[in-house]
Amino acid sequence: LSGGASISVPIFGRTRLRIDPRYQRVGITETSSGLVQQGGVGSPIGEAVGRTVTSANRWLIPVLAEWELSRHFRVGIGPELSALTGSRTVSLVRNPFAPEPIGVTDSKRPDRSAIFGFGAGVEFPFRFSRFVIAPGLHYHHWTGKHYGEVWSPDEVSVGIAVRFRAD
């Protein structure tokens, strides 16, 4: 779920420059496991489970050149920025032989992390008085990854934009 604003500036004909900055609260969860032994040789073996949860504020800023191919069909391409702020990671490991979780850590990641990329989108706008309802599909390809190997360089998002027309 994300929220934001949309600014659209006509360039020429049926072409416009659209900037859609938006905010998301994101979270990534990773789970791992491994065998542990209670004591020495011949003692019972159990499974320790580790979980790492990271959350952050994500700011997306796409700048798309958009073409209106028909009244209800628009396509756009252009550069994008994804920035993370306020990141926090909590990790814990549960050992089946210990009564309390072991290895609990709570840490802040670097204050800011930003990556650039390229985006392409298609939307299907419908106008109702001064409002535009626009279901759409958006593809992002990032030049790097937030949090190393956890974040995919390719993302696809589906959504519905609700815009108010000032004219």
Side-chain angles (χ1 to χ4, degrees):
L1 184 61
S2 66
S6 184
I7 302 163
S8 180
V9 178
I11 300 173
F12 57 87
R14 299 176 95 162
T15 305
R16 67 177 56 113
L17 184 65
R18 196 173 91 214
I19 303 169
D20 288 328
R22 60 189 183 268
Y23 166 82
Q24 291 178 317
R25 182 70 179 167
V26 295
I28 300 170
T29 301
E30 290 183 284
T31 303
S32 59
S33 63
L35 296 176
V36 293
Q37 207 164 13
Q38 184 179 19
V41 177
S43 63
I45 295 176
E47 184 176 28
V49 177
R51 182 176 220 168
T52 302
V53 178
T54 301
S55 60
N57 300 311
R58 183 177 188 196
W59 307 89
L60 288 169
I61 305 172
V63 179
L64 302 177
E66 186 177 71
W67 293 271
E68 187 175 340
L69 302 178
S70 72
R71 182 176 176 188
H72 300 294
F73 185 69
R74 296 179 186 159
V75 296
I77 59 171
E80 302 197 19
L81 170 72
S82 174
L84 293 180
T85 61
S87 177
R88 181 176 175 209
T89 299
V90 177
S91 299
L92 72 91
V93 176
R94 291 198 184 273
N95 183 334
F97 304 114
E100 296 293 322
I102 59 171
V104 177
T105 59
D106 186 352
S107 59
K108 282 185 73 173
R109 294 259 186 169
D111 284 341
R112 292 179 182 85
S113 169
I115 55 176
F116 291 94
F118 173 81
V122 60
E123 70 176 21
F124 309 93
F126 295 91
R127 188 171 177 180
F128 300 98
S129 183
R130 299 194 116 201
F131 290 93
V132 175
I133 308 296
L137 176 71
H138 196 97
Y139 168 77
H140 317 264
H141 178 76
W142 304 109
T143 57
K145 297 180 181 183
H146 292 300
Y147 301 126
E149 296 302 314
V150 177
W151 203 279
S152 172
D154 297 299
E155 289 182 65
V156 176
S157 58
V158 177
I160 297 176
V162 178
R163 299 185 182 108
F164 179 76
R165 292 178 54 106
D167 59 336

